[in-house]
Coordinates of all heavy atoms in Angstrom, one line a residue:
G348 N -2.2 63.2 158.4 CA -2.2 62.8 159.8 C -1.3 63.6 160.7 O -1.3 63.5 161.9
A349 N -0.5 64.5 160.1 CA 0.4 65.3 160.9 C -0.3 66.5 161.4 O -1.2 67.1 160.8 CB 1.6 65.8 160.1
P350 N -0.1 66.9 162.7 CA -0.8 68.1 163.2 C -0.4 69.4 162.5 O 0.8 69.5 162.1 CB -0.4 68.1 164.7 CG 1.0 67.4 164.7 CD 0.9 66.4 163.6
R351 N -1.3 70.3 162.4 CA -1.1 71.6 161.7 C -0.5 72.5 162.7 O -1.2 73.2 163.5 CB -2.3 72.1 161.1 CG -2.9 71.3 160.0 CD -4.2 71.9 159.5 NE -4.7 71.1 158.4 CZ -4.4 71.4 157.1 NH1 -3.6 72.4 156.8 NH2 -4.9 70.6 156.1
R352 N 0.8 72.5 162.8 CA 1.5 73.4 163.8 C 2.5 74.3 163.0 O 2.7 74.2 161.8 CB 2.3 72.6 164.8 CG 1.5 71.7 165.6 CD 2.3 70.8 166.6 NE 1.5 69.9 167.4 CZ 2.0 69.1 168.2 NH1 3.3 69.0 168.4 NH2 1.2 68.3 169.0
N353 N 3.0 75.3 163.8 CA 4.0 76.2 163.2 C 3.3 77.0 162.1 O 3.9 77.2 161.0 CB 5.2 75.6 162.8 CG 6.0 74.9 163.9 OD1 5.9 75.3 165.1 ND2 6.7 73.8 163.6
L354 N 2.1 77.4 162.3 CA 1.4 78.2 161.2 C 2.0 79.6 161.2 O 2.5 80.1 162.2 CB -0.1 78.3 161.6 CG -0.9 76.9 161.5 CD1 -2.3 77.1 161.9 CD2 -0.7 76.3 160.2
P355 N 1.9 80.2 160.0 CA 2.5 81.6 160.0 C 1.7 82.5 160.8 O 0.5 82.4 160.9 CB 2.4 81.9 158.5 CG 1.3 81.0 157.9 CD 1.4 79.7 158.8
K356 N 2.4 83.5 161.4 CA 1.8 84.5 162.3 C 1.0 85.4 161.5 O 1.4 85.8 160.3 CB 2.8 85.2 163.1 CG 3.6 84.3 164.0 CD 4.6 85.1 164.8 CE 5.4 84.2 165.8 NZ 6.3 85.0 166.6
M357 N -0.1 85.9 162.1 CA -1.0 86.8 161.4 C -0.4 88.2 161.5 O 0.2 88.6 162.5 CB -2.4 86.8 162.0 CG -3.1 85.4 161.8 SD -4.7 85.4 162.6 CE -5.5 86.6 161.6
E358 N -0.6 89.0 160.5 CA -0.2 90.4 160.5 C -1.1 91.2 161.4 O -2.3 90.9 161.6 CB -0.3 91.0 159.1 CG 0.7 90.3 158.1 CD 2.1 90.7 158.4 OE1 2.3 91.7 159.1 OE2 3.0 89.9 158.0
P359 N -0.5 92.2 162.2 CA -1.4 93.0 163.1 C -2.4 93.8 162.3 O -2.0 94.4 161.2 CB -0.4 93.8 163.8 CG 0.8 93.9 162.9 CD 0.9 92.5 162.2
V360 N -3.6 93.8 162.8 CA -4.7 94.6 162.1 C -4.6 96.0 162.5 O -4.6 96.3 163.7 CB -6.0 94.0 162.4 CG1 -7.1 94.8 161.7 CG2 -6.1 92.5 162.0
P361 N -4.4 97.0 161.6 CA -4.3 98.4 162.1 C -5.7 98.9 162.6 O -6.7 98.5 162.0 CB -3.9 99.1 160.8 CG -4.3 98.2 159.7 CD -4.2 96.8 160.2
L362 N -5.6 99.7 163.6 CA -6.9 100.2 164.2 C -7.4 101.4 163.3 O -6.6 102.1 162.8 CB -6.6 100.8 165.6 CG -6.2 99.7 166.7 CD1 -5.8 100.4 168.0 CD2 -7.3 98.8 166.9
P363 N -8.7 101.4 163.2 CA -9.3 102.5 162.4 C -9.1 103.8 163.2 O -9.1 103.8 164.4 CB -10.7 102.1 162.3 CG -11.0 101.2 163.4 CD -9.7 100.5 163.7
P364 N -9.1 104.9 162.5 CA -9.0 106.2 163.2 C -10.2 106.5 164.0 O -11.3 106.2 163.6 CB -8.8 107.2 162.0 CG -9.4 106.5 160.8 CD -9.1 105.1 161.0
L365 N -10.0 107.1 165.2 CA -11.1 107.5 166.1 C -11.8 108.7 165.6 O -11.2 109.6 165.0 CB -10.6 107.7 167.5 CG -10.0 106.5 168.2 CD1 -9.4 106.9 169.5 CD2 -10.9 105.4 168.3
A366 N -13.1 108.8 165.8 CA -13.9 109.9 165.4 C -13.5 111.1 166.3 O -13.2 111.0 167.5 CB -15.4 109.6 165.5
A367 N -13.6 112.3 165.7 CA -13.2 113.5 166.5 C -14.3 113.7 167.6 O -15.5 113.5 167.3 CB -13.1 114.7 165.6
A368 N -13.9 114.2 168.8 CA -14.8 114.4 169.9 C -15.6 115.7 169.6 O -15.0 116.7 169.1 CB -14.1 114.6 171.2
P369 N -16.9 115.7 169.9 CA -17.7 116.9 169.6 C -17.3 118.0 170.6 O -16.8 117.8 171.7 CB -19.1 116.4 169.8 CG -19.0 115.3 170.7 CD -17.7 114.6 170.4
L370 N -17.6 119.2 170.2 CA -17.3 120.4 171.0 C -18.2 120.4 172.2 O -19.4 120.1 172.1 CB -17.4 121.7 170.2 CG -16.4 121.8 169.1 CD1 -16.7 123.1 168.3 CD2 -15.0 121.9 169.6
P371 N -17.7 120.7 173.4 CA -18.6 120.8 174.6 C -19.6 122.0 174.5 O -19.3 123.0 173.8 CB -17.7 121.0 175.8 CG -16.5 121.6 175.2 CD -16.4 121.1 173.8
A372 N -20.7 121.8 175.1 CA -21.7 122.9 175.1 C -21.3 124.1 175.9 O -20.4 124.0 176.7 CB -23.1 122.4 175.6
Q373 N -21.9 125.3 175.6 CA -21.4 126.5 176.2 C -21.8 126.5 177.7 O -23.0 126.2 178.0 CB -22.1 127.7 175.5 CG -21.6 129.0 176.1 CD -22.2 130.2 175.3 OE1 -23.0 130.0 174.4 NE2 -21.8 131.4 175.7
G374 N -20.9 126.7 178.5 CA -21.1 126.7 180.0 C -20.9 125.4 180.6 O -20.9 125.3 181.8
A375 N -20.7 124.4 179.9 CA -20.5 123.0 180.5 C -19.0 122.9 180.8 O -18.2 123.4 180.0 CB -20.9 121.9 179.5
P376 N -18.7 122.2 181.9 CA -17.3 122.0 182.2 C -16.6 121.1 181.2 O -17.2 120.2 180.7 CB -17.3 121.4 183.6 CG -18.7 120.8 183.7 CD -19.6 121.6 182.9
T377 N -15.4 121.4 180.9 CA -14.7 120.7 179.9 C -13.6 119.9 180.7 O -13.1 120.3 181.7 CB -14.0 121.6 178.9 OG1 -13.1 122.5 179.6 CG2 -15.0 122.4 178.1

Side-chain angles (χ1 to χ4, degrees):
R351 296 179 177 268
R352 299 177 180 178
N353 299 330
L354 296 178
K356 296 182 180 180
M357 299 179 62
E358 296 289 339
V360 180
L362 294 176
L365 299 176
L370 296 176
Q373 185 176 2
T377 60

